[in-house]
Amino acid sequence: MRGLSGGRMCADAGAGMDYTVHEAWNDATNVYLIAVLLSVGLLLYARRNKRKIMRIFTVPAAGNPTPEPNFYDNLQKVRLRQQLDMYSIARRYEQQQVQMDSVQLTVE
């Protein structure tokens, strides 16, 4: 009888047991399930988009470096452009002066 009453005692103790352990276990299994599903989804995405992913991690060839804009090159280009503008303005002014001289000669 003692074993039977001991079984009832355990059953009674089980009825009043706190379920926080079971809830924690359920939450943990839910987290693991989400992690597994995410990893499977990432694996499928990686298989479909392998080229895109590999393009991110590849290093460009050393023979074809991408030219970086050089500040001094740009400054030289600006100066050259300014010089050409000044030259064209001076040529126009000279042509106007020649035309004015020819007009004055014809008037006299």
Side-chain angles (χ1 to χ4, degrees):
M1 221 36 175
R2 210 177 241 198
L4 199 58
S5 68
R8 286 184 186 164
M9 200 92 156
C10 287
D12 291 338
M17 188 169 68
D18 188 17
Y19 282 99
T20 56
V21 174
H22 295 290
E23 290 173 4
W25 179 257
N26 285 337
D27 290 341
T29 53
N30 289 340
V31 170
Y32 288 132
L33 180 64
I34 290 171
V36 168
L37 290 174
L38 283 176
S39 62
V40 168
L42 285 173
L43 180 67
L44 292 175
Y45 178 80
R47 282 187 179 176
R48 289 181 186 161
N49 300 311
K50 187 176 183 179
R51 290 183 182 169
K52 287 181 184 177
I53 294 171
M54 292 304 291
R55 190 171 37 188
I56 294 171
F57 295 108
T58 55
V59 178
N64 190 8
T66 57
E68 296 180 6
N70 190 354
F71 174 75
Y72 295 107
D73 289 342
N74 290 338
L75 190 60
Q76 287 177 350
K77 289 178 184 177
V78 168
R79 286 181 181 162
L80 180 62
R81 192 174 303 124
Q82 288 175 347
Q83 289 174 353
L84 289 172
D85 288 343
M86 292 303 291
Y87 177 75
S88 66
I89 290 170
R91 291 293 291 167
R92 276 188 263 147
Y93 179 75
E94 288 175 2
Q95 288 174 357
Q96 287 176 356
Q97 290 300 320
V98 169
Q99 288 175 357
M100 292 295 285
D101 289 342
S102 66
V103 167
Q104 284 178 358
L105 288 175
T106 56
V107 170
E108 291 177 359

